[in-house]
Amino acid sequence: MMVRLGRSSLHFNDPAGGFEQESYNLEDAISSLIRGAKEYVHLISFSLPAYNQNWYLHAAIEHAVSKGARLEVHANNFTEVNGLISRHRNRGARGWAYSNPEGGIFHIKAIMVDGRKLYLGSANLSENAISESSEWGIISDSPDICMQLESYLRHLEDKGYFTEV
């Protein structure tokens, strides 16, 4: 199946400062994507430091779930997934931690919103990635990619590579 990348915008995190961007910086673009959720937000990341009370995504996630969007998380670390899901479990949040029986890590970095919009890029969702590292990401309207990524995550769940938190 060929997937199509719809209307897209490119965003950078520039720790050196001064890089001219046509759109938001990466942190603002990701936050805006999440805040715009109506049905659900699906965070997919290797690193998910929600234990940090000052994590840059807490406010955007709180905004989305307070408007009724449900939260789903697939990430590498059980403790990190559990920490975030615990904050929103009373609103139906669900999360899965990578438990690859063969070893290895889960290294995908994406955010899907409402099965249509998504972030794909190099940045983990960590503070270091968004504030100290040179990173890039695409925000796109692509139901095709969202559908394929959801299908891949369910495949990994079915094969025992994820454990629900």
Side-chain angles (χ1 to χ4, degrees), residues 91-155:
R91 296 180 182 150
R94 294 180 69 195
W96 294 263
Y98 200 58
S99 56
N100 181 345
E102 308 297 322
I105 61 173
F106 181 72
H107 208 242
I108 295 174
K109 297 116 172 167
I111 300 169
M112 292 184 287
V113 171
D114 299 339
R116 152 163 231 102
K117 295 179 181 177
L118 75 153
Y119 155 77
L120 297 170
S122 64
N124 286 311
L125 301 181
S126 68
E127 290 292 329
N128 182 60
I130 212 66
S131 63
E132 304 295 328
S133 301
S134 299
E135 305 280 0
W136 75 282
I138 295 171
I139 305 289
S140 182
D141 187 319
S142 183
D144 289 350
I145 292 176
C146 289
M147 184 173 54
Q148 285 292 305
L149 183 50
E150 289 283 1
S151 179
Y152 179 63
L153 294 170
R154 300 303 170 225
H155 162 78

Side-chain angles (χ1 to χ4, degrees), residues 42-98:
H42 195 157
L43 303 177
I44 304 153
S45 183
F46 170 76
S47 178
L48 196 68
Y51 54 82
N52 177 347
Q53 296 303 313
N54 297 319
W55 184 44
Y56 73 100
L57 290 180
H58 278 312
I61 292 167
E62 179 62 34
H63 178 82
V65 297
S66 71
K67 293 186 329 182
R70 74 183 184 281
L71 176 64
E72 291 189 11
V73 176
H74 280 83
N76 193 65
N77 182 286
F78 180 90
T79 303
E80 290 178 348
V81 174
N82 188 49
L84 182 55
I85 293 304
S86 294
R87 292 174 69 113
H88 303 286
R89 194 176 308 277
N90 64 333
R91 296 180 182 150
R94 294 180 69 195
W96 294 263
Y98 200 58

